[in-house]
Amino acid sequence: MTQTKKVDQERWPEFLRMFSNGNRGRMMSIEVASVATGDKPLTDAAPLFAIDYDPAGKGDDLVITTGRDEIDYSHKISAPAELWESQDDNGKVASLEVIDREGAKIIVVFKS
């Protein structure tokens, strides 16, 4: 059974740094789900390079990058409001969901 939990915003910098280091190279897809624009896939089967967060006083952006040895693609989320983590039965992260202040959801799904 999948477990989903909200990550407290004050933990985002440390959580995402550790997450990026532990999951670099893992294959993933990125999709945006928004009432205004509908669902839109951004990338499929791309390796995670990093997920970085600059808090409100330093830009208030979360950036998801893909690539192996260098960045191939990046997606910037301005004014992220919530970060959710879903884990599979073995405790491995299956997906991350970022919700921005306008309600758009950026969903990162990791391949097994």
Side-chain angles (χ1 to χ4, degrees):
M1 180 177 200
T2 303
Q3 248 188 339
T4 302
K5 62 183 176 182
K6 186 176 181 179
V7 179
D8 293 329
Q9 195 163 8
E10 60 270 2
R11 291 190 47 233
W12 289 7
E14 177 188 352
F15 172 83
L16 292 171
R17 186 173 32 259
M18 290 175 55
F19 183 84
S20 294
N21 289 337
N23 290 279
R24 185 162 284 127
R26 237 178 121 188
M27 299 305 283
M28 63 173 194
S29 63
I30 304 171
E31 175 183 314
V32 175
S34 167
V35 172
T37 61
D39 294 354
K40 184 171 95 174
L42 299 178
T43 185
D44 187 39
L48 174 67
F49 190 81
I51 303 175
D52 298 298
Y53 173 64
D54 288 327
K58 297 183 179 182
D60 200 17
D61 296 318
L62 191 144
V63 179
I64 304 167
T65 52
T66 66
R68 291 249 180 247
D69 299 320
E70 59 185 42
I71 296 171
D72 293 331
Y73 173 81
S74 67
H75 180 73
K76 179 176 164 182
I77 303 159
S78 297
E82 296 180 25
L83 174 62
W84 293 82
E85 171 190 42
S86 293
Q87 297 179 351
D88 65 16
D89 293 338
N90 299 318
K92 192 171 187 178
V93 175
S95 67
L96 293 176
E97 184 174 302
V98 181
I99 303 171
D100 70 17
R101 289 202 177 97
E102 295 180 0
K105 296 179 183 180
I106 297 75
I107 304 162
V108 179
V109 178
F110 292 92
K111 312 296 182 189
S112 298

